Amino acid sequence: MVGFGANRRGGRLPSLVFVALLVVIAVLAFNCWNASSRQALLQEEVAELQSQAKRTEVARGRLEKRNSDLMGKVDSHKKQLEQKEADYSHLSSQLQARDGQVKKCEDSKVKREGPRGRPVSLQP
């Protein structure tokens, strides 16, 4: 009686199966190499993006500090402006009071001197 493996030669794979296995191994090796090289490129890109993120964070910190300094200056200038406006208002009111006093003096002088600028005599 002939068994299932009677036609085969003593433990050797047929050449077609062997070639197919070699092709599968070659495809897997190529895919592995391709994935490895792509992984290396992606790792370089990640490292570059991380360094760019660090530079951006440093620049952001500098800009935030500068913004804070400028906001402090703005507040200082606002206080100075408010003080100068208050001083201006005070001086303006003093000037108006002095103008009023000058006008009163001129009016009293006109009353004393008469319409022609000569002193008025009180006796007839």
Side-chain angles (χ1 to χ4, degrees):
M1 199 165 152
V2 178
F4 285 109
N7 290 343
R8 293 192 184 163
R9 293 178 279 181
R12 297 181 72 185
L13 291 174
S15 61
L16 185 60
V17 173
F18 182 70
V19 169
L21 285 176
L22 285 179
V23 168
V24 168
I25 290 173
V27 168
L28 288 175
F30 175 76
N31 285 340
C32 182
W33 172 78
N34 192 18
S36 175
S37 60
R38 180 166 173 147
Q39 180 186 10
L41 289 174
L42 290 175
Q43 283 178 339
E44 288 176 10
E45 187 176 342
V46 165
E48 182 180 330
L49 289 173
Q50 284 176 339
S51 67
Q52 184 180 2
K54 285 181 183 179
R55 286 191 309 266
T56 303
E57 188 62 32
V58 168
R60 180 179 178 205
R62 278 195 319 259
L63 289 175
E64 284 179 354
K65 184 177 185 290
R66 183 163 186 234
N67 185 34
S68 175
D69 292 343
L70 290 174
M71 291 303 285
K73 286 182 180 180
V74 166
D75 288 341
S76 172
H77 288 152
K78 279 184 181 180
K79 288 178 183 177
Q80 288 177 357
L81 181 62
E82 289 172 359
Q83 180 63 39
K84 288 186 182 203
E85 286 176 347
D87 290 346
Y88 172 78
S89 176
H90 179 69
L91 290 174
S92 178
S93 64
Q94 282 182 346
L95 181 62
Q96 287 177 353
R98 295 259 168 97
D99 284 344
Q101 288 175 351
V102 167
K103 185 165 176 129
K104 282 181 186 178
C105 289
E106 287 175 352
D107 288 345
S108 70
K109 184 178 176 185
V110 167
K111 284 181 185 178
R112 277 187 276 139
E113 292 181 356
R116 296 187 181 156
R118 295 184 185 153
V120 176
S121 61
L122 297 175
Q123 296 175 352

